[in-house]
């Protein structure tokens, strides 16, 4: 029972870095044989509110059992954090990214697979660009690699005068359709943010993100690891994610646009994101023997069609998922993915007893 409590609640640590203290929650055994999964949350959220529903999702447990998961809270953003005093100089995005190597050193991990949402995606991108040998893969949800232009800056100034901090952040987290629908999820986060005891800290984090610099990513200067970009088709940052995808190396990047998804797909559609994440890490050579879920078995044909008969990868890998299914993102390791697809096709055809299908798979 004690072990189960530790697994559910995690082990909390306050890690000293050259730039201040980071609150970190670790789940797992701290085995360093594999990279850790390191997460970073969005503005207005902390690691629990941003990632707990995803990492406690039933089908995610197969991944959680095979990896150590490290949830990082930005300075002063963790639940129950004390409010910073007036005039406190909050660290920049660059400085926060520079704090992450201390987390790896503390737990003795050489590499990580980063999972970031919004602001967290930007910070992990900075970290990966500065420390390419420390990052084996990146999952970036709602990434915006661009700095704010003058028009955006002026618009933000106007919004800050006419809207409360809570509403500014809500417009960042959710689409206008979601805000208009006032779902239970929207109501919960609006109340949670407005009543947060560390609201001043949230504001500092938000303002720092709005002062970010351009990541300057292009085909010749990009990530050295496989990347999966994720965005909902109704998300506030859909255009920014599409633009980021256009700048990336198509041979190492998968782009997953989730249909009927708003600003926080890890909360509203954990099944689809879990499925995509599983294929992503399988493509990196981990969990190759992992069993597929019922959802993925129904998609075997769609996955197989992502590759041509000679094994070459199609140039465009933009994928959309509807509520009834769709394609999953191909992995960065072509050989591994093909083996997985063929094995699962055989398994699926055996279940249905279709002799013709088995002959096709063998060919």
């Amino acid at each position: 029972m004690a072990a189960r409590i530790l697994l559910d609640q995690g082990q909390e640590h306050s890690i000293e870095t050259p730039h201040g203290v980071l609150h970190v929650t670790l789940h797992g055994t701290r085995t360093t044989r594999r990279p850790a999964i390191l997460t970073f949350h969005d503005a207005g959220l902390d690691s629990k509110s941003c990632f707990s529903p995803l990492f406690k999702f039933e089908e995610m447990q197969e991944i959680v059992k095979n990896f150590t998961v490290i949830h990082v809270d930005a300075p002063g953003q963790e639940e129950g954090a004390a409010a910073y005093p007036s005039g406190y100089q909050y660290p920049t995005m660059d400085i926060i990214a520079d704090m992450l190597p201390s987390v790896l050193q503390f737990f003795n991990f050489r590499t990580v697979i980063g999972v970031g949402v919004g602001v967290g995606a930007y910070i992990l991108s900075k970290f990966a660009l500065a420390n390419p040998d420390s990052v084996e893969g990146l999952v970036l949800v709602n990434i915006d690699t661009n700095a704010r232009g003058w028009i955006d800056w002026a618009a933000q100034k106007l919004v800050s005068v006419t809207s409360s901090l809570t509403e500014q952040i809500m417009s960042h987290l959710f689409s206008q359709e979601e805000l208009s629908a006032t779902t239970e999820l929207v109501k919960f986060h609006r109340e949670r943010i407005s009543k947060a005891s560390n609201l001043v800290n949230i504001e500092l984090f938000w303002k720092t993100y709005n002062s970010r610099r351009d990541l300057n990513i292009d085909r010749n200067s990009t990530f050295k690891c496989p990347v999966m970009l994720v965005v909902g088709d109704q998300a506030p940052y859909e255009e920014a994610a599409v633009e980021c995808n256009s700048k990336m190396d198509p041979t190492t990047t998968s782009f997953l646009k989730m249909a009927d998804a708003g600003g926080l797909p890890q909360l509203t559609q954990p099944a689809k994101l879990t499925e995509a994440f599983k294929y992503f890490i399988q493509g990196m050579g981990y969990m190759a023997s992992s069993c597929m879920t019922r959802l993925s078995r129904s998609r075997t044909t769609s996955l197989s069609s992502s590759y041509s008969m000679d094994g070459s990868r199609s140039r465009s890998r933009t994928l959309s998922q509807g509520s009834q299914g769709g394609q999953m993102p191909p992995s960065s390791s072509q050989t591994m993915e093909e083996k997985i697809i063929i094995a699962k096709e055989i398994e699926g055809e055996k279940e249905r007893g279709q002799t013709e299908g088995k002959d096709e798979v063998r060919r």
Side-chain angles (χ1 to χ4, degrees):
M1 184 178 294
R4 185 65 203 173
I5 291 173
L6 274 177
L7 184 63
D8 289 342
Q9 297 182 350
Q11 307 163 34
E12 297 189 34
H13 301 269
S14 295
I15 299 178
E16 292 283 349
T17 79
H19 307 288
V21 178
L22 279 180
H23 178 268
V24 173
T25 305
L26 180 140
H27 295 263
T29 60
R30 292 177 66 165
T31 176
T32 57
R33 290 176 297 174
R34 291 180 172 181
I37 295 174
L38 186 144
T39 74
F40 214 114
H41 60 87
D42 205 346
L45 304 173
D46 54 31
S47 60
K48 291 181 180 179
S49 58
C50 190
F51 291 109
S52 284
L54 175 64
F55 282 90
K56 288 183 178 180
F57 185 66
E58 181 181 358
E59 292 176 359
M60 178 63 83
Q61 299 315 301
E62 186 178 7
I63 297 175
V64 171
K65 287 185 293 186
N66 283 277
F67 290 87
T68 300
V69 181
I70 302 173
H71 296 299
V72 180
D73 288 297
Q77 306 302 302
E78 68 272 17
E79 186 178 21
Y84 289 128
S86 177
Y88 177 80
Q89 185 64 45
Y90 198 82
T92 65
M93 294 285 104
D94 288 20
I95 290 177
I96 296 175
D98 287 342
M99 299 168 80
L100 295 181
S102 297
V103 176
L104 273 67
Q105 294 169 11
F106 183 88
F107 294 116
N108 197 32
F109 276 97
R110 187 179 63 84
T111 60
V112 298
I113 299 171
V115 181
V117 179
V119 181
Y122 179 90
I123 291 171
L124 288 182
S125 297
K126 297 284 291 185
F127 170 64
L129 291 171
N131 304 273
D133 294 336
S134 297
V135 182
E136 291 196 30
L138 283 174
V139 177
L140 305 175
V141 183
N142 297 335
I143 181 67
D144 186 353
T145 62
N146 298 322
R148 284 188 173 274
W150 284 107
I151 295 177
D152 293 331
W153 179 85
Q156 180 61 37
K157 284 293 183 182
L158 180 61
V159 169
S160 64
V161 172
T162 58
S163 302
S164 67
L165 173 66
T166 299
E167 292 309 312
Q168 293 175 49
I169 294 177
M170 291 297 290
S171 295
H172 164 77
L173 296 175
F174 298 98
S175 67
Q176 288 304 312
E177 290 82 358
E178 290 175 295
L179 293 175
S180 299
T182 59
T183 62
E184 289 300 317
L185 184 66
V186 168
K187 292 177 182 178
F188 171 77
H189 283 289
R190 179 178 281 118
E191 182 176 1
R192 183 187 59 79
I193 295 170
S194 63
K195 295 182 178 180
S197 60
N198 62 336
L199 188 59
V200 62
N201 302 0
I202 294 174
E203 182 176 15
L204 290 172
F205 187 44
W206 173 239
K207 287 183 175 180
T208 300
Y209 175 64
N210 286 322
S211 300
R212 66 189 180 277
R213 296 188 299 173
D214 197 298
L215 286 180
N216 294 319
I217 293 176
D218 57 41
R219 295 287 173 86
N220 298 317
S221 178
T222 186
F223 303 106
K224 306 302 181 183
C225 63
V227 178
M228 181 169 71
L229 303 177
V230 181
V231 70
D233 64 352
Q234 301 171 13
Y237 289 90
E238 179 193 1
E239 291 184 7
V242 170
E243 181 182 351
C244 177
N245 181 57
S246 69
K247 300 176 181 179
M248 303 283 281
D249 182 349
T251 65
T252 58
T253 305
S254 296
F255 184 35
L256 176 62
K257 183 187 288 187
M258 300 177 70
D260 306 318
L264 296 176
Q266 80 278 10
L267 302 183
T268 59
Q269 300 200 29
K272 293 179 182 178
L273 190 53
T274 298
E275 190 86 8
F277 188 41
K278 183 179 294 186
Y279 274 93
F280 182 69
I281 60 178
Q282 283 176 340
M284 295 171 61
Y286 299 108
M287 295 180 62
S289 61
S290 168
C291 64
M292 297 170 75
T293 64
R294 292 185 299 274
L295 182 63
S296 61
R297 280 199 295 269
S298 70
R299 296 176 178 170
T300 304
T301 303
S302 295
L303 269 165
S304 182
S305 66
S306 297
Y307 292 84
S308 61
M309 292 301 292
D310 63 357
S312 63
R313 197 182 308 233
S314 61
R315 189 192 178 289
S316 174
R317 299 197 289 161
T318 301
L319 307 172
S320 295
Q321 287 186 307
S323 58
Q324 298 302 317
Q327 294 177 321
M328 298 306 302
S331 67
S332 60
S333 176
Q334 181 174 326
T335 302
M336 179 63 66
E337 184 68 13
E338 288 175 335
K339 289 179 179 179
I340 294 167
I341 293 167
I342 292 171
K344 299 311 174 183
E345 283 182 338
I346 293 172
E347 176 187 341
E349 295 301 335
K350 283 182 178 178
E351 290 177 356
R352 292 189 292 269
Q354 296 178 355
T355 303
E356 182 181 349
K358 287 191 291 184
D359 294 337
E360 185 64 23
V361 171
R362 291 193 188 100
R363 286 198 293 272

